[in-house]
Amino acid sequence: MAAPREFRGHPASPGRAVGPVHRAGEPPAPSGLSGSGAEARAALNNAVNRAVYELRQLSAGADAESAGILDFQIELLLDGELLAPALARIDRGEGAALAFAAALNDQIDAMASQCSESASQCSEANQDDGSEVDPFALRAVDLMDLQHRVLDALAGRIRADFPPGAVYVGRDMPPSVFLAHDWSSGGAIALGAGSTASHVALLARARGVPMVVGLGALPGETGETLLVDGTQGLARLNPEARLLPEARLLAEAGPAAALPRQAPLAPAPHAAAGAAPFSAAAGGGETPLLLANLDTLADLDTLDPAEVDGVGLVRTEFMLTSAAEALSEERHLAVYRRLLEALAGKPVTLRMFDLGGDKALAGLTEGDPAGMLGLRGVRFLLAHPDLARIQARALIRAAAQGPVSVLLPMVTLPAELAAMAALFDEEAARLARQAIEGRRPPLGIMVEVPAAALTLDLFGQAAFFSVGSNDLMQYLAAAARDNPAVAPLYAGAETALFRLLDQICTAARALGRPVSLCGDLAAEPAAAGRLRALGLHGLSVAPRRLPALRAALAATVPPPARGTGFPDPATGQA
Ligand code: PEP
Ligand code: MG
């Protein structure tokens, strides 16, 4: 048996697990699907050809009735009329996925209006049971189906998943690969590069998947055995037999068991029935509200809604992970409904897509860690209003069904908030015209860009604020959160961050708006006392980190009451 070998790195997510190595391949070269011009035309044509090929395969093996439907879809796809508007959009500079999705949405929309304008137009023949056939509705369903198929083809091959229970070994790990994997059988992550503040590290901590970063070399080849100690920041190749049983037991028990032992959940201080997290009574010197950060629907399995005051952050970009999902209003709505149902009446803060930077969405935007200062968050949404409108419509519809607030990521200037507010107003009015139930939700902003943090007094249009310390630190220190070479500078920005937090809280109080913290700093037990002293309205952390935070808060001395309550963002009343 090969001799054990130890690799030292940095602890990114605690716990220990052992398993066979899965060596990740090099990330595929960017496909340029979000580019424009000839490349985007070619990408769309290829995707359509791929979709036609798939439909022909399906049709060949289908019964006569199904084959008829599939053949109809093939005809639609081959009909130049269907593609013409998308190609025109590409000629105007849009990327292939967005151009195709938006062009089809326009056609689906036009059909819906034709239906509502003239019911007689929509009801041609009678079906066997006497009910009327709606040709526009039928065609719309086909178009939606085609839209998903082509968008999936545009997004390219789904990157191969790896075996359950394996240890992922690579230079870095894209969040989409983490999200597509089933971690319920255990497993771990060992990265040659990577950073403890990256999005994938944040996901691993939230799910309790042991992770080590910054190992330098890549430990092991596919099939060799690797033990990952995410608490110590170590990886041990070919570990000694005596080390295996405990790690194996933990790995077999799944991610939850890989976490250090935590105290059992005590009842939440604000979890009384009907308690409203954004009520005037909370904040201002009281114990901050305890809120949950949710990255995937699977996080709901680790959250007892009775233990929290609500959800302070839903990273929607991790919940809708393909272009087909991201561009489907119905899919958004289904996800938001599921969250609202699970939270049973408690407030849910949904953040709009924070795409760009290291957050990719295949077919819409390729990951580009160097783009952290570029078209990210609300900037990306405003540059792609068709995408923003789809999400806004779903959020407005969800808000009619429960207490939804909407958070905008990476806001720098009040004008960005104003533009988004106008977009929400327009979509709310459009839904009303279409007789679709909706409610315009309150809009708040992430405070994670220093320019916004320093001028919070100018953001009177925001209903609430949520500090994103993960990004605020990186922008304060000019030290990328996913670059291990500057990790000490990133961590060293904490003093600057606390000074700024004080300023942010003072400005928010002056405006009469609640301010919470949803970055990883909120989950640091050692920071609980200082955070409480700031008078933050709420702290939002991954469900697994709630017990430790609650215990840390209970051990802090409450600061003197500041006497200023926070308004309810839904009503604007203090
Ligand atoms: C943050 O920046 O602190 C935050 C909560 O957002 P994300 O980590 O998703 O960028
Ligand atoms: Mg952020």
Side-chain angles (χ1 to χ4, degrees), residues 482-497:
D482 55 0
N483 186 342
V486 289
L489 292 174
Y490 180 93
E494 205 167 287
T495 304
L497 180 74

Side-chain angles (χ1 to χ4, degrees), residues 158-170:
I158 305 288
R159 234 168 291 161
D161 193 9
F162 49 98
V167 178
Y168 179 100
V169 173

Side-chain angles (χ1 to χ4, degrees), residues 197 199 202 293 313 315 317-318 351 354 359 376 446 448 467-472 481 518-520:
H199 282 114
L202 184 148
N293 286 354
L313 170 68
R315 291 184 169 94
E317 65 277 7
F318 290 153
R351 185 173 72 184
D354 183 16
K359 289 179 183 163
R376 208 195 131 184
M446 292 286 295
E448 51 188 351
V467 180
S469 51
N470 305 338
D471 277 313
L472 195 49
R481 62 195 266 187
C518 64
D520 265 19

Side-chain angles (χ1 to χ4, degrees), residues 9-340:
H10 307 289
S13 174
R16 220 190 293 167
V18 68
V21 166
H22 168 83
R23 266 294 273 269
E26 282 304 304
S31 62
L33 292 182
S34 49
S36 55
E39 197 186 350
R41 273 180 164 262
L44 183 54
N45 282 327
N46 286 342
V48 168
N49 289 340
R50 163 106 216 142
V52 169
Y53 170 79
E54 286 173 8
L55 288 167
R56 285 198 174 126
Q57 299 279 100
L58 285 175
S59 171
D63 59 65
E65 199 182 358
S66 314
I69 295 169
L70 293 164
D71 291 344
F72 172 61
Q73 291 198 352
I74 293 171
E75 268 175 51
L76 278 178
L77 264 186
L78 293 176
D79 178 0
E81 256 181 62
L82 185 84
L83 283 190
L87 293 173
R89 280 174 170 262
I90 287 175
D91 290 342
R92 290 201 296 273
E94 281 180 21
L98 200 54
F100 182 73
L104 256 70
N105 278 349
D106 286 348
Q107 297 181 40
I108 293 164
D109 233 25
M111 268 171 219
S113 335
Q114 272 174 295
C115 281
S116 55
E117 264 168 31
S118 163
S120 57
Q121 258 188 310
C122 297
S123 44
E124 50 177 29
N126 280 349
Q127 299 188 78
D128 293 347
D129 64 359
S131 62
E132 288 168 339
V133 175
D134 179 343
F136 291 111
L138 278 182
R139 215 178 117 108
V141 169
D142 278 306
L143 284 184
M144 280 190 242
D145 200 11
L146 284 179
Q147 188 186 40
H148 284 192
R149 189 176 290 282
V150 173
L151 288 173
D152 280 341
L154 262 175
R157 262 179 300 123
I158 305 288
R159 234 168 291 161
D161 193 9
F162 49 98
V167 178
Y168 179 100
V169 173
R171 272 194 63 68
D172 211 338
M173 184 183 208
S176 57
V177 172
F178 181 98
L179 289 166
H181 186 67
D182 177 2
W183 293 99
S184 60
S185 324
I189 304 166
L191 302 182
S195 151
T196 57
S198 67
H199 282 114
V200 74
L202 184 148
L203 289 169
R205 285 194 289 274
R207 287 279 192 92
V209 176
M211 176 174 177
V212 183
V213 300
L215 291 165
L218 299 188
E221 291 300 330
T222 296
E224 287 186 284
T225 302
L226 188 69
L227 188 151
V228 171
D229 186 332
T231 311
Q232 307 276 346
L234 297 175
R236 200 161 178 80
L237 191 62
N238 309 316
E240 298 84 339
R242 70 185 162 79
L243 296 176
L244 294 183
E246 188 209 343
R248 240 181 213 133
L249 270 179
L250 287 170
E252 277 160 19
L259 270 184
R261 293 216 184 291
Q262 290 170 333
L265 291 177
H270 294 287
F278 294 119
S279 71
E286 305 212 343
T287 307
L289 299 165
L290 279 190
L291 307 167
N293 286 354
L294 299 179
D295 297 332
T296 65
L297 286 178
D299 288 348
L300 287 174
D301 300 341
T302 57
L303 177 69
D304 177 354
E307 303 292 340
V308 287
D309 298 297
V311 171
L313 170 68
V314 176
R315 291 184 169 94
T316 59
E317 65 277 7
F318 290 153
M319 298 242 170
L320 297 133
T321 53
S322 73
E325 286 187 314
L327 294 164
S328 160
E329 185 180 317
E330 297 306 322
R331 182 66 194 137
H332 278 262
L333 188 59
V335 169
Y336 305 157
R337 271 204 190 118
R338 170 88 187 78
L339 292 166
L340 286 170

